[in-house]
């Protein structure tokens, strides 16, 4: 701030200077939480909701990576979470308009969008956090001497290493790049990030980098990845590191990599044009409510391109068609496949959780709603539902977290939310805290009989 104010007062009032000063002024609306290893900065208006979920993933990632990378960070990592995407953009490049980027790492400082900074279901905030925190370790271990392809590829690998449904799916841009032989040789792959020659090449390079790291881990083992990190820290080039650690020339590596990748993508790449026609036809039938015609087309589209989970995906077509035909088992199956492959539409995930819960599969329903929490958090009904399920499963801690999330917003039923939290606290034998919540419920609704009854029960336990 001091340096920026000197610039501004000295007449250097560029947009970057003004934007940065305005961002710094907005920090009065943020609150910071510190632990021995973490510094978490959240907007005050959503801190109570976000903090338990972000803190849990933050600490879990650091513990995982310290063990995995065999490296202890020298100081706490700061994570800044921005509910306004343009604030995140200014934090990153001092100017608004930073399109698809979700997170950025500056050494020990990570900035990212808040779940509320994007439309619900557009992305997976926990996956982004783990991606960026991987960068912290790799950048520190190499003193920032690391090719872009390797640190990004490794971060992409870590997303699905954390959980198979987290990372991005095989996208259309990468399919077309493979079909048109546009993947770059490993010796030249950094060019795809820093000097792209076609609009989607950066996206394709993320995909390719992630797959290369996956291939290395599967064929040569994780220890080779660690060795490569240290080699890059010694300023070795990609061809040198490939030959030193993997024992093959870059050209031979490329051949082996493509031989490994092609069987995974061949079905989709070979049928992408057929898939496009079929999914469009399925969409027309869907709009016309021709359910018997939708089903075979959607099933064929899914068989060709199972990774497609975006708008107008075959899983949604199938789930709705089976619902309209009255087959809940097949509706549930379609949505379970959708969730497992990485689908992120909150509405579809909530439908799945309700189906699982109604069928008595409460643990599965809880898992689905926990998955939703890592995608989108501003959903009172989902938190209420998960809290209720956890009460049925006698998980007091989980229920407490969810009812607290309900209370962090402006719940429709304030008294009911306090009452639910009281029951969850009682389940954990936190009698004093439970009593306070019951009293809060009765202050809102003095005639709330279940709360009156619970207060009497709690009084007998003190």
């Amino acid at each position: 701030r001091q340096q920026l104010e000197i610039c501004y007062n000295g007449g250097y009032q560029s947009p970057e200077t003004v934007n940065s000063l305005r961002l710094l002024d907005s920090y009065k609306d943020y609150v910071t939480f510190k632990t021995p290893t973490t510094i978490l900065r959240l907007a005050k208006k959503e801190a109570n909701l976000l903090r338990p979920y972000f803190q849990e993933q933050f600490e879990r990632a650091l513990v995982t990576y310290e063990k995995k990378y065999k490296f202890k960070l020298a100081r706490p990592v700061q994570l800044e979470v921005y509910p306004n995407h343009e604030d995140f953009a200014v934090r990153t490049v001092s100017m608004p308009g930073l399109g698809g980027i979700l997170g950025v790492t500056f050494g020990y400082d990570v900035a990212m969008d808040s779940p509320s900074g994007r439309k619900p279901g557009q992305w997976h905030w926990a996956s982004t956090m783990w991606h960026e925190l991987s960068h912290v370790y790799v950048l520190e271990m190499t003193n920032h001497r690391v090719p872009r392809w390797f640190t990004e590829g490794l971060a992409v690998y870590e997303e699905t290493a954390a959980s198979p449904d987290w990372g991005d799916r095989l996208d259309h841009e990468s399919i077309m790049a493979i079909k048109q032989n546009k993947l770059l040789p490993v010796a030249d792959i950094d060019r795809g990030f820093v000097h792209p020659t076609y609009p989607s090449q950066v996206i394709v390079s993320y995909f390719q980098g992630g797959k290369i790291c996956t291939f290395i881990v599967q064929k040569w083992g994780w220890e080779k990845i660690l060795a490569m990190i240290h080699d890059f820290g010694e300023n070795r080039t990609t061809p040198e590191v490939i030959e030193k650690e993997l024992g093959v020339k870059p050209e031979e590596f490329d051949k082996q990599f493509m031989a490994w990748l092609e069987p995974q993508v061949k079905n989709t790449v070979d049928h992408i044009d057929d898939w496009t026609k079929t999914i469009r036809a399925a969409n027309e039938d869907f709009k016309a409510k021709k359910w018997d015609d939708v089903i075979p087309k959607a099933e064929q589209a899914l068989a060709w391109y199972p990774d497609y989970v975006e708008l107008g995906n075959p899983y949604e077509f199938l789930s709705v068609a089976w619902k309209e035909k009255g087959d809940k088992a097949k509706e549930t199956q379609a949505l379970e496949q959708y969730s497992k492959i990485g689908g992120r539409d909150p509405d579809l995930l909530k439908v799945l959780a309700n189906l699982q819960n109604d069928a008595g599969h409460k643990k599965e329903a809880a898992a689905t709603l926990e998955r939703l929490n890592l995608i989108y958090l501003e959903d009172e009904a989902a938190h209420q539902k998960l809290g209720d399920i956890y009460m049925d499963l006698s998980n007091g801690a989980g229920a407490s977290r969810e009812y607290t999330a309900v209370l962090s917003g402006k719940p429709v039923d304030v008294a009911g939310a306090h009452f639910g939290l009281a029951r969850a606290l009682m389940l954990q034998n936190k009698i004093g805290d439970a009593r306070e919540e019951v009293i809060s419920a009765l202050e809102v609704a003095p005639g709330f009989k279940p709360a009156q009854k619970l207060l009497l029960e709690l009084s007998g336990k003190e």
Side-chain angles (χ1 to χ4, degrees):
R1 182 190 289 274
Q2 183 184 46
Q3 296 299 321
L4 286 165
E5 286 177 348
I6 291 170
C7 288
Y8 186 87
N9 294 332
Y12 190 79
Q13 299 172 0
S14 68
E16 293 87 347
T17 304
V18 174
N19 290 339
S20 298
L21 283 167
R22 284 176 178 163
L23 178 65
L24 287 168
D25 287 342
S26 76
Y27 284 166
K28 68 181 183 300
D29 300 321
Y30 287 74
V31 59
T32 301
F33 304 96
K34 296 182 179 181
T35 74
T37 58
T38 67
I39 302 169
L40 180 60
R41 176 182 283 166
L42 301 170
K44 289 178 181 177
K45 65 181 181 181
E46 59 181 12
N48 289 340
L49 172 62
L50 265 55
R51 187 188 176 191
Y53 304 94
F54 269 72
Q55 192 68 48
E56 179 186 2
Q57 291 300 322
F58 197 0
E59 292 180 4
R60 190 163 77 88
L62 293 183
V63 168
T64 300
Y65 287 154
E66 181 174 320
K67 182 178 179 181
K68 194 170 186 179
Y69 289 99
K70 300 180 181 179
F71 184 82
K72 189 171 182 63
L73 297 174
R75 62 179 189 272
V77 179
Q78 177 159 304
L79 176 64
E80 306 164 14
V81 185
Y82 292 91
N84 184 324
H85 176 72
E86 298 303 351
D87 285 345
F88 162 71
V90 170
R91 171 67 175 91
T92 305
V93 293
S94 302
M95 293 290 284
L98 190 67
I101 295 175
L102 301 165
V104 174
T105 300
F106 307 94
Y108 278 85
D109 295 274
V110 174
M112 63 179 286
D113 278 328
S114 165
S116 63
R118 299 268 178 165
K119 289 182 181 179
Q122 273 195 344
W123 64 302
H124 191 296
W125 65 260
S127 180
T128 295
M129 183 197 294
W130 281 64
H131 178 113
E132 297 303 328
L133 292 173
S134 168
H135 287 327
V136 175
Y137 280 82
V138 175
L139 292 173
E140 288 306 302
M141 291 171 72
T142 60
N143 196 25
H144 294 244
R145 294 190 184 101
V146 60
R148 178 84 183 274
W149 80 263
F150 184 76
T151 187
E152 293 295 358
L154 192 49
V156 168
Y157 165 82
E158 291 291 13
E159 294 179 50
T160 45
S163 184
D165 62 281
W166 281 21
D168 289 331
R169 308 293 74 173
L170 175 63
D171 54 74
H172 191 267
E173 293 86 353
S174 299
I175 293 168
M176 297 312 295
I178 295 166
K179 189 178 180 70
Q180 297 163 12
N181 295 315
K182 286 186 175 180
L183 295 189
L184 292 170
V186 70
D188 198 30
I189 189 175
D190 238 27
R191 179 169 60 78
F193 286 97
V194 295
H195 296 296
T197 56
Y198 57 92
S200 62
Q201 192 167 22
V202 173
I203 294 171
V204 172
S205 298
Y206 271 90
F207 165 81
Q208 186 180 355
K211 287 296 184 183
I212 286 174
C213 289
T214 302
F215 173 56
I216 292 170
V217 172
Q218 288 187 8
K219 178 159 186 177
W220 287 278
W222 176 255
E223 291 300 318
K224 288 296 183 182
I225 292 285
L226 292 182
M228 292 173 76
I229 293 174
H230 293 296
D231 288 342
F232 285 126
E234 294 170 0
N235 246 3
R236 287 189 168 93
T237 66
T238 293
E240 289 172 343
V241 171
I242 292 289
E243 192 165 350
K244 176 176 182 287
E245 299 303 340
L246 308 183
V248 295
K249 297 280 188 184
E251 296 79 10
E252 175 60 26
F253 177 88
D254 293 331
K255 290 178 185 176
Q256 292 186 22
F257 170 67
M258 289 308 299
W260 171 84
L261 178 64
E262 282 175 351
Q264 301 174 40
V265 300
K266 180 176 173 52
N267 181 46
T268 301
V269 171
D270 287 350
H271 293 101
I272 191 62
D273 295 334
D274 299 322
W275 176 87
T276 302
K277 293 174 187 173
T278 303
I279 203 72
R280 285 175 180 167
N283 187 44
E284 291 302 315
D285 289 337
F286 185 83
K287 288 189 288 188
K289 299 183 179 180
K290 297 178 180 177
W291 309 122
D292 287 329
D293 294 331
V294 166
I295 291 168
K297 290 184 179 76
E299 287 177 339
Q300 180 60 76
L302 193 154
W304 281 331
Y305 187 5
D307 270 12
Y308 184 74
V309 292
E310 307 305 325
L311 188 65
N313 65 78
Y315 300 97
E316 182 174 7
F317 292 162
L318 282 170
S319 68
V320 175
W322 286 121
K323 178 185 178 182
E324 293 298 325
K325 289 173 70 66
D327 194 327
K328 285 190 175 182
K330 288 186 176 178
E331 179 190 2
T332 303
Q333 182 183 32
L335 290 174
E336 285 180 338
Q337 287 179 302
Y338 170 78
S339 180
K340 185 177 181 180
I341 203 72
R344 297 171 181 172
D345 185 319
D347 291 333
L348 292 181
L349 294 177
K350 286 192 290 183
V351 169
L352 173 58
N354 286 334
L355 286 165
Q356 291 168 324
N357 189 50
D358 292 346
H361 303 147
K362 292 187 179 295
K363 289 182 179 178
E364 290 83 353
T368 298
L369 291 172
E370 283 286 9
R371 197 168 167 267
L372 175 58
N373 278 340
L374 301 179
I375 296 165
Y376 188 67
L377 282 163
E378 292 190 349
D379 193 318
E380 178 188 328
H383 289 300
Q384 182 69 46
K385 172 70 77 174
L386 183 52
D388 294 345
I389 292 172
Y390 276 146
M391 286 301 295
D392 292 340
L393 294 171
S394 298
N395 182 345
S400 291
R401 185 194 63 188
E402 294 306 306
Y403 293 138
T404 300
V406 173
L407 283 165
S408 70
K410 296 179 180 177
V412 175
D413 182 4
V414 178
H418 281 294
F419 176 66
L421 181 53
R423 290 172 58 234
L425 290 165
M426 182 180 173
L427 195 59
Q428 299 170 80
N429 206 31
K430 296 180 178 179
I431 305 304
D433 293 338
R435 191 172 186 277
E436 287 183 17
E437 292 300 324
V438 172
I439 291 170
S440 295
L442 290 170
E443 285 174 348
V444 176
F448 189 7
K449 285 188 168 31
Q452 293 171 350
K453 183 178 178 182
L454 183 57
L455 182 58
L456 285 173
E457 190 177 340
L458 289 166
S459 297
K461 291 180 179 290
E462 288 184 310

